[in-house]
């Protein structure tokens, strides 16, 4: 009886496998479109923009106060100041302590967050639509009346330094940390142990005073709220914000050659981290393709959508080329990917993967080969490209299903000075990208980068020299790393 059952199971498995082999992989469906409600804009008398996007199917509302200043405006010597300032907004006001802010939002069943990235800062509240007025009172209080208590600042600094100190022992984090200076020509947006330790209450208050101004801010409502209700509550809570001009930005500028480099790899850097369990391997560079178009009449940079599609193809998911070559075919890593981080007039780009120390040079070769293949390969077929476009459009469609995702997507456009109507162009713009545009973008923007390996150098030194014979390798001991120096020493 048991033997009969085993035979039947084996036959069933064989039949299913045989049918699957005959059918092949399912093809992606037809590209979908998404229609996002029109964004309704208005301005308060103090110059603050109010943007409303109605999504009435669920009784939820997300409200974000976005200020067009972030880590790019803090200066190298104050690395981390923008994020500390934004984070301190919810740590105490003239009317509420940090504990009271947290408890009152929790009592309403909502959440409040504040943060800064490279391009902007924000405070966000998510709440049910019947609690908008109460939540707005708290949001406005944090944004307009912060007191920056010294005790809260000391605690926040200690937590930030402790977290950073631990992260600097991790190869993956250390790679990005070093790339920000070595390859991108910027400073670590999250700060350094030294810069975080030097942040004072006066510096926080000064950054807030210089940048958190109505003319430099956008109040965004997304979800189950009418335009009229949003405008009324915006005026009630932010209408008295003094219309003082924000300090002109001191944004760091990085010179980028307009002539594409002739070779793919510019430099090879090793950060020697003895006894590390794995090595992190990255290809990093600064691209001249920005988020905002140089031509004021254009919606976005002509390279933006080709870059997104290229990244989906190269390292944007499990089926991307990097993951296929490094993980699936060779088993050298648990995963490999890549990504762009956008600036108004440029972008940073990096690949990411971790592997055994001994296989780091081989992985570096594979990464370079895939980047070169993008620029030179004439065989980006529709069978490969269409599913990668579907990953982008599907991800975008899912993200804007939530009020938070919708507000975040709209906030990014405002941060870069782009028209809100760009939301409705995303799907068609991605689907119209051609393989020729991808190859051209790769040739123009993905050459001249740096290979950065963080790991136990002794374990891959010989193989690295063999695989990259004749190439100079700069080695920096992790224990002596000086992120404030161009030489890193």
């Amino acid at each position: 009886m048991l033997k009969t059952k085993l035979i039947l199971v084996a036959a069933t498995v064989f039949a299913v496998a045989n049918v699957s082999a005959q059918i092949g992989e399912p093809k992606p469906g037809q590209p979908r479109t998404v229609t996002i409600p029109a964004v309704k804009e208005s301005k308060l008398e103090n110059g603050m923009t109010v943007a409303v996007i109605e999504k009435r199917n669920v009784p939820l509302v997300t409200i974000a106060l976005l200020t067009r200043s972030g880590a790019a405006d803090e200066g190298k010597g104050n690395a981390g100041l923008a994020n500390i300032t934004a984070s301190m907004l919810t740590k105490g006001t003239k009317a509420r302590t940090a504990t009271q802010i947290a408890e009152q939002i929790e009592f309403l069943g909502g959440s409040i967050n504040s943060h800064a990235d490279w391009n902007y800062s924000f405070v966000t509240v998510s709440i049910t639509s019947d609690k908008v007025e109460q939540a707005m009172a708290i949001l406005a209080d944090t944004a307009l009346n912060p007191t920056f208590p010294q005790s809260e600042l000391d605690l926040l600094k200690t937590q930030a330094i402790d977290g950073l100190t631990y992260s600097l022992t991790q190869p993956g984090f250390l790679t990005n940390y070093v790339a920000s200076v070595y390859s991108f020509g910027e400073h670590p947006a999250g700060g350094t142990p030294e810069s975080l330790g030097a942040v004072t209450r006066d510096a926080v208050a000064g950054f807030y005073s210089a940048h958190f101004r109505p003319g430099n801010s956008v109040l965004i409502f997304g979800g189950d709220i009418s335009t009229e209700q949003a405008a009324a509550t915006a005026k009630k809570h932010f209408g008295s914000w003094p219309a003082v001009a924000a300090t002109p930005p001191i944004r760091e500028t990085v010179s980028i050659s307009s002539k594409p480099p002739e070779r793919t790899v510019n430099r090879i850097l090793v950060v020697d981290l003895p006894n590390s369990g794995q090595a992190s391997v990255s290809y990093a560079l600064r691209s001249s393709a920005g988020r905002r178009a140089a031509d004021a009449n254009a919606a976005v940079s002509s390279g933006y959508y080709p870059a997104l599609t290229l990244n989906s193809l190269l390292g944007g998911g499990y089926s991307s080329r990097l993951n296929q070559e490094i993980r699936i075919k060779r088993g050298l890593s648990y995963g490999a990917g890549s990504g762009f981080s956008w600036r108004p007039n440029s972008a940073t780009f990096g690949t990411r993967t971790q592997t055994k120390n001994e296989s780091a040079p081989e992985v570096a070769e594979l990464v370079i080969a895939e980047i070169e293949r993008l620029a030179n390969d004439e065989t980006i077929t529709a069978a490969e490209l269409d599913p990668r476009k579907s990953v982008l459009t599907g991800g975008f469609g899912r993200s804007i299903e939530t009020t938070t995702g919708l507000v975040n997507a709209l906030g990014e456009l405002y941060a870069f000075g782009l028209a809100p109507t760009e939301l409705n162009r995303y799907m068609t713009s991605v689907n119209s990208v051609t393989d020729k545009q991808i190859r051209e973008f790769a040739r123009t923007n993905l050459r001249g980068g740096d290979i950065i390996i963080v790991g136990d150098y002794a374990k891959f030194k010989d193989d690295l020299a063999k695989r990259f014979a004749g190439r100079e390798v700069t080695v920096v001991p992790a224990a002596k790393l000086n992120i404030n120096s161009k030489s890193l020493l």
Side-chain angles (χ1 to χ4, degrees), residues 152 178 205 238-239 266 298 338 431 453 465 470:
E152 293 288 348
V178 168
F238 285 92
N266 182 24
S338 62
N431 285 322
I453 303 176

Side-chain angles (χ1 to χ4, degrees), residues 58-189:
V58 178
L60 296 173
V61 179
T62 295
I63 310 164
L65 177 71
L66 180 142
T67 296
R68 298 184 183 92
S69 298
D73 303 286
E74 66 196 5
K76 178 180 177 181
N78 295 313
L81 177 59
N83 189 45
I84 286 184
T85 301
S87 299
M88 283 295 294
L89 295 179
T90 59
K91 302 302 181 182
T93 71
K94 295 175 183 178
R96 297 172 173 87
T97 65
T99 301
Q100 288 172 330
I101 292 171
E103 288 178 345
Q104 289 177 21
I105 283 291
E106 184 178 357
F107 180 77
L108 295 174
S111 61
I112 186 168
N113 298 285
S114 58
H115 181 70
D117 76 355
W118 189 260
N119 302 292
Y120 56 89
S121 305
F122 61 86
V123 189
T124 303
V125 168
S126 291
I127 201 74
T128 55
S129 50
D130 60 330
K131 302 292 195 307
V132 166
E133 189 61 32
Q134 299 98 308
M136 269 292 290
I138 299 172
L139 173 65
D141 192 29
T142 63
L144 304 183
N145 304 305
T147 54
F148 309 118
Q150 186 66 51
S151 60
E152 293 288 348
L153 176 59
D154 292 341
L155 177 60
L156 185 62
K157 287 169 56 177
T158 298
Q159 293 171 336
I161 293 171
D162 287 348
L164 180 57
T165 301
Y166 169 76
S167 295
L168 289 175
T169 66
Q170 306 303 303
F173 180 90
L174 192 52
T175 300
N176 295 330
Y177 187 76
V178 168
S180 64
V181 174
Y182 188 76
S183 302
F184 305 154
E186 298 178 343
H187 66 265

Side-chain angles (χ1 to χ4, degrees), residues 203-414:
V204 172
F207 189 87
Y208 169 83
S209 178
H211 299 285
F212 283 76
R213 296 298 183 185
N216 196 38
S217 302
V218 183
L219 187 63
I220 305 172
F221 295 82
D224 184 26
I225 187 169
S226 68
T227 302
E228 295 75 19
Q229 181 187 358
T233 192
K235 182 177 180 180
K236 175 182 176 181
H237 292 285
F238 285 92
S240 60
W241 197 4
V244 180
T247 299
I250 56 171
R251 303 221 154 169
E252 296 176 25
T253 57
V254 179
S255 59
I256 304 172
S257 174
S258 58
K259 182 180 179 181
E262 294 182 359
R263 62 184 185 181
T264 301
V265 178
N266 182 24
R267 300 171 294 181
I268 301 175
L269 171 69
V270 172
V271 178
D272 186 15
L273 191 65
N275 302 315
S276 63
Q278 288 188 322
S280 171
V281 181
S282 177
Y283 176 80
L285 57 73
R286 184 89 178 211
S287 166
S288 61
R291 182 72 172 89
R292 189 166 59 205
D295 180 1
N297 295 319
V300 292
S301 165
S302 60
Y304 177 67
Y305 291 108
L308 292 184
T309 313
L310 175 152
N311 187 67
S312 181
L313 186 71
L314 177 66
Y318 187 82
S319 299
S320 64
R321 289 183 173 186
L322 286 176
N323 201 61
Q324 287 277 348
E325 292 298 319
I326 296 171
R327 175 182 174 170
I328 298 173
K329 290 184 180 179
R330 294 172 175 82
L332 295 174
S333 175
Y334 284 113
S338 62
F340 285 91
S341 182
W342 295 95
R343 313 291 185 250
N345 302 308
S346 64
T348 63
F349 171 79
T351 66
R352 58 185 180 276
T353 189
Q354 291 195 172
T355 186
K356 295 183 299 182
N357 281 289
E358 293 79 2
S359 55
E362 179 184 359
V363 169
E365 276 192 333
L366 292 171
V367 170
I368 295 167
E370 287 307 311
I371 290 172
E372 291 178 339
R373 186 158 75 98
L374 269 177
N376 303 319
D377 193 1
E378 298 293 330
T379 58
I380 305 177
T381 63
E384 181 184 20
L385 187 55
D386 289 348
R388 304 316 305 163
K389 291 180 178 180
S390 295
V391 169
L392 287 175
T393 56
F396 177 78
R398 287 190 300 274
S399 71
I400 61 173
E401 281 297 310
T402 67
T403 57
T404 300
L406 190 59
V407 167
N408 287 343
L410 185 57
E412 183 175 310
L413 296 179
Y414 277 109

